[in-house]
Amino acid sequence: MFFQELNNEQCKSYLVADLKAGAAAIIDPVERNIDRYLAVLAYHNLKLDFVADTHTHADHRSACTALRRLTGTKVFMHERSPQPSVDGRLNDGDELNVGSVSIKVFETPGHTPDSLSFYINKDRVLTGDVILIQGTGRADFAGGDAGAQYDSITEKLFTLPDETIVFPGHDYRGNTESTIGTEKETNPRIAGKTREEYIEIMDNLNLPLPERIQEVLQINQSEVDDDRIKFPMVAELNQVLQMEPETVKEKLGSDSVIIDVREKSEYHGELGHLQGSRLIPLAEIPASLDDLDADRDKEIILVCRSGARSTTAAAILKGLGFQKVKNLKGGMLDWHKKGFPVEK
Ligand SMILES: [Fe+2]
């Protein structure tokens, strides 16, 4: 196996390759470094089999979509990733291969609902922002959950052999790697802490928000790169009322307006859509405001695949003075899990 961190900066991207087979994958590629990635691949004569993100990043623009456009590589994302155009969706236990190198996928939610860890070559694990070297990723963005993060770390990552090398998504202190054993013993956030203690610590971090969170989340969630949309602040996302699928089901056929903000291909795709819902992709919301104005005083329920893009849409509408906007919690994925009816 050929393995290399490619950025040499606080934000990490990892190349996993089989030089003999000429096959490669890049995990968490960063848009500003695309030229470097293409040069490294060309230098080693590698074909990029796939790219993947460990989660929806809030601090940098992902290069996955751009690399797909430039090289034809496949994009793999978590089942709950809000990214609309992906080639495969990853679930817990999935196995990927790069030439002869094995990669096992773990769902490790907490930092975000779509956080994944990649266990590579049975000797190292890419942990994204779930566990960092002597730290853990914040869990206070929309959809973050400190309790789930504790479970992901203690019940999944800490069950790997102690000598497993940990490569995190970030490091702010110049470290490059650790091991599961070291973090289990000495990570100040989690070593020896109960679940309750961990949640208490995470609830009281009071971290500032990344400067570019609006711009970055917007593009990473939706591929929408349109400055007419003012992306809501995290606090505004957290204020959106999340409605359980059962409650939304009771609203079908009522006076409530249901707006689906996915892409057209998703609306008519395998998950289908809610009966009576209107399709307005997230990027088209600004252009549709005149139409929506007639429903300004009605209850408006936003829907998407996993509930992330629609929470954004709900917060945008709230910011524009729509009072009764709600979000279908868990999106079409959870709707399906309940076995509720869809149209295609
Ligand atoms: Fe992150």
Side-chain angles (χ1 to χ4, degrees):
M1 177 178 64
F2 182 67
F3 180 86
Q4 200 175 39
E5 197 286 307
L6 296 172
N7 300 336
N8 197 23
E9 55 188 60
Q10 293 182 343
C11 187
K12 312 288 186 191
S13 304
Y14 296 97
L15 171 71
V16 181
D18 177 336
L19 293 178
K20 243 191 198 163
I26 301 179
I27 309 294
D28 286 337
V30 172
E31 196 184 46
R32 62 179 175 272
N33 290 341
I34 285 179
D35 292 352
R36 173 187 310 198
Y37 306 152
L38 295 177
V40 170
L41 294 167
Y43 181 83
H44 292 288
N45 237 332
L46 292 166
K47 181 175 168 287
L48 195 54
D49 280 358
F50 69 86
V51 289
D53 280 341
T54 51
H55 61 288
T56 301
H57 297 286
D59 64 320
H60 66 261
R61 285 167 71 153
S62 166
C64 284
T65 307
L67 283 168
R68 182 197 207 213
R69 183 168 45 81
L70 291 167
T71 68
T73 189
K74 291 194 167 73
V75 173
F76 293 153
M77 294 278 180
H78 188 285
E79 175 67 19
R80 287 190 171 273
S81 164
Q83 269 280 350
S85 47
V86 301
D87 302 291
R89 299 220 172 246
L90 299 174
N91 288 290
D92 199 50
D94 283 353
E95 310 252 1
L96 302 166
N97 288 295
V98 179
S100 61
V101 180
S102 70
I103 302 181
K104 190 161 182 185
V105 177
F106 293 120
E107 278 182 341
T108 46
H111 173 62
T112 64
D114 64 353
S115 287
L116 296 169
S117 295
F118 295 97
Y119 183 47
I120 299 172
N121 200 35
K122 296 203 171 92
D123 68 358
R124 64 198 62 205
V125 61
L126 306 187
T127 54
D129 294 355
V130 178
I131 185 157
L132 305 171
I133 297 176
Q134 300 291 295
T136 58
R138 61 197 298 169
D140 58 338
F141 294 162
D145 182 333
Q149 192 177 26
Y150 183 88
D151 299 339
S152 293
I153 294 170
T154 56
E155 292 169 15
K156 287 207 177 132
L157 296 173
F158 280 0
T159 62
L160 294 171
D162 278 356
E163 60 276 17
T164 307
I165 311 168
V166 171
F167 290 98
H170 289 96
D171 190 85
Y172 305 101
R173 305 183 196 100
N175 303 306
T176 53
E177 59 180 72
S178 180
T179 64
I180 288 293
T182 307
E183 296 306 318
K184 217 191 270 182
E185 286 290 307
T186 63
N187 189 309
R189 289 256 175 95
I190 203 147
K193 301 283 193 297
T194 64
R195 196 174 193 273
E196 288 64 37
E197 287 167 339
Y198 182 73
I199 294 170
E200 170 86 21
I201 291 171
M202 297 306 281
D203 282 351
N204 290 292
L205 291 179
N206 298 320
L207 297 167
L209 295 170
E211 270 170 38
R212 297 170 64 230
I213 188 165
Q214 295 194 9
E215 173 200 341
V216 165
L217 262 184
Q218 172 177 321
I219 296 164
N220 286 349
Q221 279 190 355
S222 61
E223 293 172 5
V224 175
D225 197 353
D226 181 341
D227 54 19
R228 285 173 306 172
I229 298 188
K230 190 187 165 296
F231 201 83
M233 305 296 286
V234 172
E236 293 167 329
L237 294 177
N238 287 340
Q239 278 166 14
V240 170
L241 210 138
Q242 302 288 336
M243 199 177 247
E244 296 293 337
E246 287 77 4
T247 318
V248 175
K249 187 164 164 258
E250 284 163 23
K251 306 270 183 182
L252 293 180
S254 76
D255 206 26
S256 301
V257 178
I258 303 176
I259 298 173
D260 194 313
V261 300
R262 293 174 297 166
E263 299 302 309
K264 196 174 177 189
S265 58
E266 297 176 274
Y267 187 77
H268 295 292
E270 49 167 346
L271 292 175
H273 53 262
L274 267 55
Q275 172 213 329
S277 64
R278 196 192 307 174
L279 173 68
I280 309 179
L282 184 58
E284 289 168 29
I285 284 193
S288 311
L289 283 176
D290 284 348
D291 290 349
L292 285 171
D293 214 45
D295 297 321
R296 185 172 275 277
D297 297 323
K298 291 187 186 159
E299 179 177 64
I300 298 179
I301 303 168
L302 281 303
V303 178
C304 72
R305 177 182 168 82
S306 69
R309 267 176 286 167
S310 52
T311 298
T312 299
I316 289 171
L317 290 179
K318 254 186 118 179
L320 292 167
F322 289 78
Q323 298 296 326
K324 293 186 238 164
V325 272
K326 317 272 165 65
N327 182 54
L328 169 60
K329 191 178 171 196
M332 291 305 293
L333 286 173
D334 282 0
W335 183 269
H336 257 261
K337 269 195 196 150
K338 307 265 178 195
F340 291 169
V342 297
E343 290 179 352
K344 287 195 176 172

